Amino acid sequence: ITRLEYSTTMSKHLATRARKNCLLKGRNLGQILRASHQQFHPHSIKIPGDITLGGLFPVHSRGPHGLPCGELKKEKGIHRMEAMLYALDQINSDPELLPNITLGARILDTCSRDTYALEQSLTFVQALIQKDTSDIRCSNGEPPIIRKPERVVGVIGASASSVSIMVANILRLFEIPQVSYASTAPELSDNNRYDFFSRVVPPDSYQAQAMLDIVKALGWNYVSTLASEGNYGESGVDAFMQISREAGGVCIAQSVKIPREPTAGEFDKIIKRLMETSNARGVIIFANEDDIKRVLEAAKRANLTGHFLFVGSDSWGAKSSPIAELEDVAEGAVTILPKRASIDGFDQYFMSRSLENNRRNIWFNEFWEDDFRCKLTRPGIKLDLDKKKCTGEERIGRDSSYEQEGKVQFVIDAVYAVAYALHSMHQDLCPSSSGVCGKMDPVEGRSLLGYIRAVNFNGSAGTSVLFNENGDAPGRYDIFQFQMTNHSHPGYRVIGQWTNNLRLNLEEMQWSGGDKLVPDSICSFPCQPGERKKMVKGVPCCWHCELCDGYQYQVDEFTCETCPSDMRPVPNRTACRPTPIIKLEWNSPFALVPASLAMLGILATSAVVITFIRFNDTPIVRASGRELSYVLLTGIFLIYLITFLMIAEPGVVACAFRRLLLGLGMAITYSAMLTKTNRIYRIFEQGKRSVTPPKFISPTSQLIITFILISVQVLGVFVWFAVVPPHTIIDYEELRPPNPELARGILKCDMSDLSIICCLSYSIVLMVTCTVYAVKSRGVPETFNEAKPIGFTMYTTCIIWLAFVPIFFGTAQSTEKMFIQTATLTVSMSLSAFVSLGMLYMPKVYVIIFHPEQNVQKRKRSFKAVAQAVSQKSLNEKQNGETKIEPDRSQ
């Protein structure tokens, strides 16, 4: 409805009234005004004043079908309405508040029905409608007499939210501010739709916020909701769920609705459904008293006493009736109740009301009859014999029970809020006027609304009265907990307050069985350090805990990441720590055994060298080829020496010498052996053909050939130096087992398995070649005894190195790979050196030292004699069928 449409309708209505008033022309003015008042306001209270406030109260209940009003409501109707009258009396008698200005009132009965209240509230907007009655005349031609309705500047009410919503839609069209004392629906906080509506009570959304704050303070994040079907229960739960979604941190496990007419077993089904998510022990309950009681009974039947942790709304509050004989089930329940106070001044005022001093209340006679269960006599009405006659001497609180209704405080505060707003407006607009000045006649509604929203004063209970930008009063609640300190005196105990923020005394809380520890109501327990949360889809409060395994650590509560390659996770996997760095230590068995062998070899080699030097000119030393022998012994010595370099702590110098000497010792040894076997082979092959000696068999030639062969190895190493300079590395991958506690970084030279094999490959080629010549030279005469020892040396060496390959590469997956490979390599090299030393030189040293008589010069044989000996041996072998010698085609 628009304001224009409403004005047109009201104009037609008033024109009809004007025509009826023409019939009253013959009566006196007093009769006319009284008749007009009855026609316009048949059920209202009029309090005269300079400024008039409207009032809407549920004096009567909703009437039965066909009737607008029903029975009288003593507390919610009469008590609240009298509170407004009391507040007006207090304000008008206060010289400091609105001096020389009297507040009046027009109070209407809403009959607890929104549509009826809408019709009644039309009274408040009559004065604001432009009425055109120029075309209306009485039968005698005179204009009709129309009583000018008083102008209402603001309305106090209504009580029910549905009524306030209906009335607010009309009042906002005519910019009349409205202040409610009991309407708590959250939708009235919408300042776009209900911009002229304010209230001195907190909306239900504050109650929901307070309950959410309680849940969070208790450390719960997984709760269920339970609501009675209807506006109160459903809107309360909806507000709680909406706020919890916006705030986050709390999830709803189940949202259960209690039907208006529950069937048999309905509450047992509700308990069973709540147990489907048994971790959600907290239950937010917006329900009426009967439903609360039946829920507790069902929980007791299911033997779940102490399982559910109820958080009840103000419908539970501190009432005893819902928990009667169910105290053990309700133990620990946390409830909420708006902070309120009893106004002593109103008690004195109301208990002093009588039929004589309260005639302004047109419903007071009806209240009197209902309160004292008597009947007043009226002219023309026969007295009901079943009821006693009212004497008028009865007194409230003496002859009837009396307890101040809970919203009386808020009615008084609502009236004072408008009064203080008018006072501030008067001070601003009429600073020099003692009464209502022209600027306040009429009072502009939108301006008054601004003053109402700006008030801040101590209300009737001593608490501040103020409004936020949506016209809502601050939420003030007392927090109770039902405790059984002993089984004979259970009761509610105040454990905190909520005024825009929660103040909860956890130390004073007590749970089932007297336990002081707050029970859990969570979907998933916190993950342990080193575990990440894997969220359950669609339920942000539920998760599974997964261990950060392997080399992962916990970055945050949702993420695991792998530590850098040089680090490993700490034991609780919340961070990374440097991986310990190790190297082959001298006291390790993998170092002691090779080092012992190498030291023994060095001593033996030194003994041979010393012996050869000491007996350098003896026939045996000279016959063995002194020059090549010293070269060969040098190679053997270097083979033993490389063991210590392989065990030593890696460094640039150590790594350079490893590269250089690893293959050099073997290259020197086998180059010398190859030169020797090649010399023998060429001599005897030449001897088969002619008596002319072969070329390059002199000692000098032999040395040159040997050094040429050695230079290939040296050249290759220096090329390696140029391409990849020697340096150390820390290998974190080699010793990185599944268990991070066993991970180690290995300090070593930059020599991979492949580079080691490449470094030894040339020596292996020399070894194989030397073995081939040894095989070919196996048939030389006995007198050339050095060929066979060389042959046996090479056969044994090949066997050693054939065994080395599988051992070396078969340890690739071992956690001690480097140590095993180093030990295998050095032991194999030492064994090769021992074979060479033992086969070639130990017999000679033995003869030199222990049988010097054999170390004498024998007859010197010429190459011709040697050739004849070889030819003779070949002929004998041919005749015996042992071998076949091709004839020399040149002869």
Side-chain angles (χ1 to χ4, degrees), residues 454-475:
V455 298
N456 189 344
F457 63 95
N458 286 329
S460 55
T463 57
S464 59
V465 177
L466 65 159
F467 304 96
N468 64 12
E469 65 276 7
N470 295 323
D472 294 328

PDB file of all heavy atoms in Angstrom, residues 454-475:
ATOM      1  N   ALA A 454      19.691   8.326  18.892  1.00  0.00           N
ATOM      2  CA  ALA A 454      20.865   8.919  19.532  1.00  0.00           C
ATOM      3  C   ALA A 454      20.795   8.908  21.053  1.00  0.00           C
ATOM      4  O   ALA A 454      21.750   9.319  21.720  1.00  0.00           O
ATOM      5  CB  ALA A 454      21.051  10.357  19.044  1.00  0.00           C
ATOM      6  N   VAL A 455      19.668   8.473  21.653  1.00  0.00           N
ATOM      7  CA  VAL A 455      19.550   8.530  23.112  1.00  0.00           C
ATOM      8  C   VAL A 455      20.524   7.553  23.756  1.00  0.00           C
ATOM      9  O   VAL A 455      20.888   6.526  23.183  1.00  0.00           O
ATOM     10  CB  VAL A 455      18.111   8.208  23.580  1.00  0.00           C
ATOM     11  CG1 VAL A 455      17.137   9.222  23.029  1.00  0.00           C
ATOM     12  CG2 VAL A 455      17.702   6.806  23.199  1.00  0.00           C
ATOM     13  N   ASN A 456      20.916   7.883  24.958  1.00  0.00           N
ATOM     14  CA  ASN A 456      21.777   7.025  25.768  1.00  0.00           C
ATOM     15  C   ASN A 456      21.594   7.454  27.219  1.00  0.00           C
ATOM     16  O   ASN A 456      22.126   8.461  27.655  1.00  0.00           O
ATOM     17  CB  ASN A 456      23.236   7.161  25.337  1.00  0.00           C
ATOM     18  CG  ASN A 456      24.137   6.127  26.001  1.00  0.00           C
ATOM     19  OD1 ASN A 456      23.756   5.492  26.991  1.00  0.00           O
ATOM     20  ND2 ASN A 456      25.341   5.959  25.471  1.00  0.00           N
ATOM     21  N   PHE A 457      20.824   6.687  27.943  1.00  0.00           N
ATOM     22  CA  PHE A 457      20.520   7.038  29.334  1.00  0.00           C
ATOM     23  C   PHE A 457      20.422   5.762  30.159  1.00  0.00           C
ATOM     24  O   PHE A 457      20.302   4.657  29.612  1.00  0.00           O
ATOM     25  CB  PHE A 457      19.212   7.834  29.411  1.00  0.00           C
ATOM     26  CG  PHE A 457      18.002   7.060  28.947  1.00  0.00           C
ATOM     27  CD1 PHE A 457      17.192   6.380  29.845  1.00  0.00           C
ATOM     28  CD2 PHE A 457      17.664   7.004  27.589  1.00  0.00           C
ATOM     29  CE1 PHE A 457      16.086   5.671  29.417  1.00  0.00           C
ATOM     30  CE2 PHE A 457      16.555   6.298  27.156  1.00  0.00           C
ATOM     31  CZ  PHE A 457      15.757   5.625  28.078  1.00  0.00           C
ATOM     32  N   ASN A 458      20.461   5.937  31.471  1.00  0.00           N
ATOM     33  CA  ASN A 458      20.305   4.802  32.372  1.00  0.00           C
ATOM     34  C   ASN A 458      18.825   4.500  32.516  1.00  0.00           C
ATOM     35  O   ASN A 458      18.032   5.350  32.919  1.00  0.00           O
ATOM     36  CB  ASN A 458      20.904   5.106  33.740  1.00  0.00           C
ATOM     37  CG  ASN A 458      22.417   5.092  33.707  1.00  0.00           C
ATOM     38  OD1 ASN A 458      23.019   4.360  32.922  1.00  0.00           O
ATOM     39  ND2 ASN A 458      23.050   5.893  34.551  1.00  0.00           N
ATOM     40  N   GLY A 459      18.461   3.285  32.197  1.00  0.00           N
ATOM     41  CA  GLY A 459      17.069   2.902  32.213  1.00  0.00           C
ATOM     42  C   GLY A 459      16.550   2.601  33.605  1.00  0.00           C
ATOM     43  O   GLY A 459      17.230   2.824  34.621  1.00  0.00           O
ATOM     44  N   SER A 460      15.353   2.058  33.656  1.00  0.00           N
ATOM     45  CA  SER A 460      14.686   1.824  34.938  1.00  0.00           C
ATOM     46  C   SER A 460      15.410   0.786  35.786  1.00  0.00           C
ATOM     47  O   SER A 460      15.283   0.801  37.016  1.00  0.00           O
ATOM     48  CB  SER A 460      13.245   1.354  34.680  1.00  0.00           C
ATOM     49  OG  SER A 460      13.249   0.214  33.818  1.00  0.00           O
ATOM     50  N   ALA A 461      16.163  -0.112  35.161  1.00  0.00           N
ATOM     51  CA  ALA A 461      16.908  -1.126  35.907  1.00  0.00           C
ATOM     52  C   ALA A 461      18.345  -0.712  36.177  1.00  0.00           C
ATOM     53  O   ALA A 461      19.134  -1.499  36.706  1.00  0.00           O
ATOM     54  CB  ALA A 461      16.898  -2.446  35.141  1.00  0.00           C
ATOM     55  N   GLY A 462      18.700   0.527  35.792  1.00  0.00           N
ATOM     56  CA  GLY A 462      20.060   1.010  36.008  1.00  0.00           C
ATOM     57  C   GLY A 462      21.009   0.705  34.884  1.00  0.00           C
ATOM     58  O   GLY A 462      22.175   1.114  34.927  1.00  0.00           O
ATOM     59  N   THR A 463      20.552  -0.009  33.854  1.00  0.00           N
ATOM     60  CA  THR A 463      21.395  -0.303  32.693  1.00  0.00           C
ATOM     61  C   THR A 463      21.164   0.735  31.614  1.00  0.00           C
ATOM     62  O   THR A 463      20.094   1.358  31.539  1.00  0.00           O
ATOM     63  CB  THR A 463      21.093  -1.701  32.146  1.00  0.00           C
ATOM     64  OG1 THR A 463      19.702  -1.790  31.823  1.00  0.00           O
ATOM     65  CG2 THR A 463      21.429  -2.769  33.179  1.00  0.00           C
ATOM     66  N   SER A 464      22.162   0.932  30.775  1.00  0.00           N
ATOM     67  CA  SER A 464      22.064   1.951  29.738  1.00  0.00           C
ATOM     68  C   SER A 464      21.075   1.526  28.661  1.00  0.00           C
ATOM     69  O   SER A 464      20.991   0.350  28.311  1.00  0.00           O
ATOM     70  CB  SER A 464      23.438   2.209  29.115  1.00  0.00           C
ATOM     71  OG  SER A 464      23.954   1.028  28.547  1.00  0.00           O
ATOM     72  N   VAL A 465      20.336   2.510  28.154  1.00  0.00           N
ATOM     73  CA  VAL A 465      19.401   2.303  27.054  1.00  0.00           C
ATOM     74  C   VAL A 465      19.942   3.043  25.850  1.00  0.00           C
ATOM     75  O   VAL A 465      20.136   4.264  25.908  1.00  0.00           O
ATOM     76  CB  VAL A 465      17.985   2.789  27.411  1.00  0.00           C
ATOM     77  CG1 VAL A 465      17.046   2.624  26.215  1.00  0.00           C
ATOM     78  CG2 VAL A 465      17.445   2.035  28.616  1.00  0.00           C
ATOM     79  N   LEU A 466      20.202   2.331  24.775  1.00  0.00           N
ATOM     80  CA  LEU A 466      20.711   2.948  23.555  1.00  0.00           C
ATOM     81  C   LEU A 466      20.373   2.037  22.394  1.00  0.00           C
ATOM     82  O   LEU A 466      19.943   0.891  22.577  1.00  0.00           O
ATOM     83  CB  LEU A 466      22.220   3.183  23.631  1.00  0.00           C
ATOM     84  CG  LEU A 466      23.145   1.953  23.712  1.00  0.00           C
ATOM     85  CD1 LEU A 466      24.547   2.330  23.254  1.00  0.00           C
ATOM     86  CD2 LEU A 466      23.211   1.407  25.134  1.00  0.00           C
ATOM     87  N   PHE A 467      20.567   2.548  21.185  1.00  0.00           N
ATOM     88  CA  PHE A 467      20.210   1.809  19.973  1.00  0.00           C
ATOM     89  C   PHE A 467      21.400   1.819  19.021  1.00  0.00           C
ATOM     90  O   PHE A 467      22.167   2.783  18.971  1.00  0.00           O
ATOM     91  CB  PHE A 467      18.994   2.435  19.271  1.00  0.00           C
ATOM     92  CG  PHE A 467      17.779   2.552  20.152  1.00  0.00           C
ATOM     93  CD1 PHE A 467      17.500   3.739  20.819  1.00  0.00           C
ATOM     94  CD2 PHE A 467      16.926   1.482  20.328  1.00  0.00           C
ATOM     95  CE1 PHE A 467      16.397   3.862  21.628  1.00  0.00           C
ATOM     96  CE2 PHE A 467      15.809   1.597  21.132  1.00  0.00           C
ATOM     97  CZ  PHE A 467      15.539   2.780  21.797  1.00  0.00           C
ATOM     98  N   ASN A 468      21.491   0.735  18.230  1.00  0.00           N
ATOM     99  CA  ASN A 468      22.495   0.724  17.175  1.00  0.00           C
ATOM    100  C   ASN A 468      21.905   1.277  15.884  1.00  0.00           C
ATOM    101  O   ASN A 468      20.788   1.792  15.870  1.00  0.00           O
ATOM    102  CB  ASN A 468      23.067  -0.688  16.976  1.00  0.00           C
ATOM    103  CG  ASN A 468      22.014  -1.681  16.501  1.00  0.00           C
ATOM    104  OD1 ASN A 468      20.909  -1.310  16.100  1.00  0.00           O
ATOM    105  ND2 ASN A 468      22.364  -2.958  16.537  1.00  0.00           N
ATOM    106  N   GLU A 469      22.640   1.169  14.789  1.00  0.00           N
ATOM    107  CA  GLU A 469      22.188   1.774  13.540  1.00  0.00           C
ATOM    108  C   GLU A 469      20.924   1.114  13.007  1.00  0.00           C
ATOM    109  O   GLU A 469      20.202   1.709  12.192  1.00  0.00           O
ATOM    110  CB  GLU A 469      23.302   1.707  12.490  1.00  0.00           C
ATOM    111  CG  GLU A 469      23.683   0.312  12.054  1.00  0.00           C
ATOM    112  CD  GLU A 469      24.685  -0.348  12.986  1.00  0.00           C
ATOM    113  OE1 GLU A 469      24.980   0.251  14.059  1.00  0.00           O
ATOM    114  OE2 GLU A 469      25.162  -1.455  12.668  1.00  0.00           O
ATOM    115  N   ASN A 470      20.614  -0.100  13.461  1.00  0.00           N
ATOM    116  CA  ASN A 470      19.394  -0.776  13.023  1.00  0.00           C
ATOM    117  C   ASN A 470      18.241  -0.599  13.997  1.00  0.00           C
ATOM    118  O   ASN A 470      17.174  -1.184  13.808  1.00  0.00           O
ATOM    119  CB  ASN A 470      19.666  -2.269  12.823  1.00  0.00           C
ATOM    120  CG  ASN A 470      20.639  -2.538  11.700  1.00  0.00           C
ATOM    121  OD1 ASN A 470      20.616  -1.854  10.684  1.00  0.00           O
ATOM    122  ND2 ASN A 470      21.508  -3.510  11.884  1.00  0.00           N
ATOM    123  N   GLY A 471      18.446   0.181  15.038  1.00  0.00           N
ATOM    124  CA  GLY A 471      17.396   0.406  16.019  1.00  0.00           C
ATOM    125  C   GLY A 471      17.312  -0.674  17.071  1.00  0.00           C
ATOM    126  O   GLY A 471      16.335  -0.719  17.830  1.00  0.00           O
ATOM    127  N   ASP A 472      18.308  -1.555  17.154  1.00  0.00           N
ATOM    128  CA  ASP A 472      18.286  -2.634  18.138  1.00  0.00           C
ATOM    129  C   ASP A 472      19.002  -2.208  19.411  1.00  0.00           C
ATOM    130  O   ASP A 472      20.018  -1.506  19.371  1.00  0.00           O
ATOM    131  CB  ASP A 472      18.979  -3.878  17.588  1.00  0.00           C
ATOM    132  CG  ASP A 472      18.225  -4.482  16.416  1.00  0.00           C
ATOM    133  OD1 ASP A 472      16.992  -4.377  16.407  1.00  0.00           O
ATOM    134  OD2 ASP A 472      18.876  -5.045  15.515  1.00  0.00           O
ATOM    135  N   ALA A 473      18.453  -2.660  20.545  1.00  0.00           N
ATOM    136  CA  ALA A 473      19.113  -2.433  21.826  1.00  0.00           C
ATOM    137  C   ALA A 473      20.232  -3.459  21.995  1.00  0.00           C
ATOM    138  O   ALA A 473      20.194  -4.530  21.397  1.00  0.00           O
ATOM    139  CB  ALA A 473      18.101  -2.554  22.957  1.00  0.00           C
ATOM    140  N   PRO A 474      21.220  -3.127  22.794  1.00  0.00           N
ATOM    141  CA  PRO A 474      22.292  -4.102  23.017  1.00  0.00           C
ATOM    142  C   PRO A 474      21.764  -5.334  23.749  1.00  0.00           C
ATOM    143  O   PRO A 474      20.836  -5.251  24.552  1.00  0.00           O
ATOM    144  CB  PRO A 474      23.309  -3.331  23.868  1.00  0.00           C
ATOM    145  CG  PRO A 474      22.521  -2.248  24.511  1.00  0.00           C
ATOM    146  CD  PRO A 474      21.455  -1.878  23.534  1.00  0.00           C
ATOM    147  N   GLY A 475      22.352  -6.456  23.421  1.00  0.00           N
ATOM    148  CA  GLY A 475      21.941  -7.686  24.072  1.00  0.00           C
ATOM    149  C   GLY A 475      22.548  -7.799  25.457  1.00  0.00           C
ATOM    150  O   GLY A 475      23.745  -7.594  25.648  1.00  0.00           O
TER     151      GLY A 475
END
